[in-house]
Amino acid sequence: MSIAKNLIEIKSQLLENVTLVAVSKTKPVSELMEAYEAGQRVFGENKIQEMTSKFEEMPKDIQWHMIGHIQSNKVKYMAPFVSLIHAVDSLKLLKEINKQALKNNRVISCLLQVKIADEESKFGLSEDDVLQLLVSEEFNSLQNIKIEGLMGMATFTNDEAQLIQEFQKLNTLYATLKNKYNLSTLSMGMSGDYPIAISNGSNMVRVGSAIFGKRNYSI
Ligand SMILES: *Cc1c(COP(=O)(O)O)cnc(C)c1O
């Protein structure tokens, strides 16, 4: 199937309130442009350098989401244009994002990544870490970041019961914090599990291979 057809097929399965982030990491600009021509405007990348060069080459009405784990020293390259940073998992990183946002006279939207998978390889804060961060004085002094919501990655498994349990865990935390902290985004679900994520409260899915086909190497 073509990229445009894949997009139509996936969008037909999304509830109206769900944002589709087209995860285009490792894919060439020509393929991103196919998605763009089909109306897609939100793209997700996991490497700052790759996202920055695609930003420079592509139309300027695209919203670029950084979905990968971030090294603080590279935040400055994306600070002028990034529209949402999904995987924020430390106060140190938030401070750097705040500093670079200030330099660019912007407020940068972020999601806190919460660890829901039972895999050591996945990053993220614990629920307690999130609660402590949100009430800390240092966090509350940061004027150029906005926490828009939470992000999580489920375990890589076909066990639907486990996926439901992990997504529910994050949805429950989100529901607890939503009103108090004015949150609007719950980012969970990828090609293999986005329908389950949506059934369990997700309103932003990050879908790569189901749109662009398999990547040559997995990262
Ligand atoms: C690569 C990636 C995705 C998309 O994965 P697919 O299985 O190809 O849909 C989603 N989220 C993150 C954080 C990723 O790194």
Side-chain angles (χ1 to χ4, degrees), residues 106-178:
R106 304 182 62 204
V107 172
I108 295 182
S109 294
C110 300
L111 306 178
L112 296 177
Q113 181 170 4
V114 183
K115 186 170 155 66
I116 51 172
D118 64 4
E119 291 166 13
E120 271 313 309
S121 60
K122 295 201 170 144
F123 296 100
L125 300 161
S126 70
E127 292 190 20
D128 276 350
D129 293 338
V130 172
L131 300 175
Q132 279 176 26
L133 181 72
L134 290 172
V135 297
S136 78
E137 221 171 285
E138 213 175 0
F139 165 74
N140 282 291
S141 72
L142 304 175
Q143 301 289 317
N144 291 72
I145 48 141
K146 175 169 183 347
I147 301 295
E148 261 192 22
L150 304 176
M151 176 271 205
M153 287 174 89
T155 303
F156 189 71
T157 176
N158 289 323
D159 182 347
E160 195 170 322
Q162 183 174 357
L163 292 172
I164 291 171
Q165 190 217 318
E166 292 178 3
F167 289 139
Q168 270 305 330
K169 186 179 144 152
L170 191 53
N171 190 28
T172 303
L173 179 64
Y174 177 69
T176 314
L177 303 173
K178 190 174 186 283

Side-chain angles (χ1 to χ4, degrees), residues 23 25 46 67 151 153 190-192 206-209 215 219:
V23 175
K25 62 194 186 193
N46 73 337
I67 63 168
M151 176 271 205
M153 287 174 89
M190 320 190 348
S191 292
R206 309 175 308 269
V207 179
S209 44
R215 289 175 293 275
I219 39 175

